[in-house]
């Protein structure tokens, strides 16, 4: 069994760089270690939390229980043909490292999701996505450990109930499973998606007329780096809020009053950029002590250094309240509040 440590600082394990301590901490690299850690938590009647890359969590204080760091590693080719390849990837692999690996192999499908922070296990949990592509688009299945039976179970796409930054693991099955691996299908003859955001513009600026998957990835990385702060330099978790989806009637009124941007969802609903709402409410670039809102992207809350999780959580609540008051729209955190 992997070692159980006491009184461990979680500052190195969250991209906000927040100081918080875990009563107990273990770093698992084998599935059997994960089972043993869950057994140990149960035996001692302790709460537990599975931590991946720490890029999608806001620690509002010390954790009274066991933090299990998921460091399961491995990439395995399950099937391969002239057209496609099916990969089984361990949950502890770094997502961006996986993207770069697939690009090196010439396998397309996830290049638009370059530089998304976090681990592979978190990808289906919140159906990560960027620039017109989501994990569900390449998803085959996942394996997850049932926390009670300690048996592995397989979930296909339908069972995962994917939605916008949602899955069954954030709703009905929250806290009941630990994702151990994810299986995806990629193509060797990729159809590039360059229509979203500034990808085409960036490619054009670089004089690229026939882009490869690497060109698309490089463009996405450049765009993201220009908008999002590096967590190594300033603590953040990327996009803090999900983009709200409103009715067409609601959006029409918003468009008339504020000329708001919107993206039709094909279901009588329109997605409105949360960053735009937050900026219009006056929060972009605002600093309160050691915390604040990024000056280039209002979706990003930041820890300038020395801030606390409670302060960041209060900032999030204040932003929610002001957006609701101004637009009558509720925005919800994408980040897990712990």
């Amino acid at each position: 069994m992997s070692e159980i440590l006491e009184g461990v600082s979680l500052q190195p394990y969250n991209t906000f760089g927040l100081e918080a301590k875990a009563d107990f901490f273990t770093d698992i690299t084998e599935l059997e270690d994960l089972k043993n850690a869950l057994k140990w938590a149960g035996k001692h009647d302790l709460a537990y939390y599975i931590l991946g890359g720490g890029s999608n969590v806001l620690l509002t204080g010390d954790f009274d229980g066991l933090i299990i760091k998921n460091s399961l590693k491995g990439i395995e080719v399950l099937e391969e043909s002239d057209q496609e390849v099916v990969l089984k990837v361990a949950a502890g692999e770094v997502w961006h490292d996986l993207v770069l690996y697939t690009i090196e192999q010439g396998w397309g499908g996830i290049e638009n999701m370059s530089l998304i922070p976090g681990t592979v296990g978190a990808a289906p949990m919140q159906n990560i996505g960027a620039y017109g592509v989501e994990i569900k688009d390449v998803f085959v299945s996942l394996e997850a450990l049932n926390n009670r039976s300690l048996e592995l179970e397989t979930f296909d796409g339908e069972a995962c109930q994917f939605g916008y930054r949602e899955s069954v693991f954030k709703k009905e099955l929250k806290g009941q499973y630990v994702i151990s691996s994810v299986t995806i299908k990629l193509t060797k003859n990729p159809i590039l998606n360059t229509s979203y955001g500034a990808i085409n513009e960036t490619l054009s600026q670089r004089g690229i007329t026939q882009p490869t998957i690497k060109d698309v990835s490089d463009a996405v990385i450049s765009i993201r780096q220009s908008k999002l702060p590096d967590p190594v330099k300033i603590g953040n978790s990327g996009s803090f809020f999900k983009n709200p989806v409103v009715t067409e009637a609601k959006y029409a009124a918003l468009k008339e009053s504020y000329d708001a941007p919107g993206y039709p969802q094909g279901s009588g609903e329109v997605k409105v950029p949360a960053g735009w709402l937050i900026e219009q409410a006056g929060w972009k670039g605002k600093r309160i002590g050691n915390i604040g809102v990024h000056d280039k992207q209002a979706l990003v809350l930041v820890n300038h250094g020395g801030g606390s999780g409670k302060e960041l959580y209060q900032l999030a609540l204040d932003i929610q309240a002001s957006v609701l008051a101004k637009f009558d729209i509720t925005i919800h955190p994408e980040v897990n509040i712990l």
Side-chain angles (χ1 to χ4, degrees), residues 129-143:
Y131 298 97
V133 178
E134 294 179 320
I135 184 70
K136 70 176 179 63
D137 299 327
V138 297
F139 183 84
V140 176
S141 64
L142 63 79
E143 288 183 330

Side-chain angles (χ1 to χ4, degrees), residues 205-245:
Q205 288 172 352
R206 297 180 176 193
I208 298 171
T209 56
Q210 293 183 308
T212 64
I213 54 175
K214 186 177 187 307
D215 292 328
V216 173
S217 172
D218 288 345
V220 168
I221 290 170
S222 176
I223 296 165
R224 289 182 70 92
Q225 287 178 334
S226 71
K227 292 183 177 181
L228 302 173
D230 184 347
V232 174
K233 298 176 181 176
I234 182 169
N236 74 92
S237 65
S239 300
F240 193 92
F241 294 99
K242 294 186 284 188
N243 294 319
V245 176

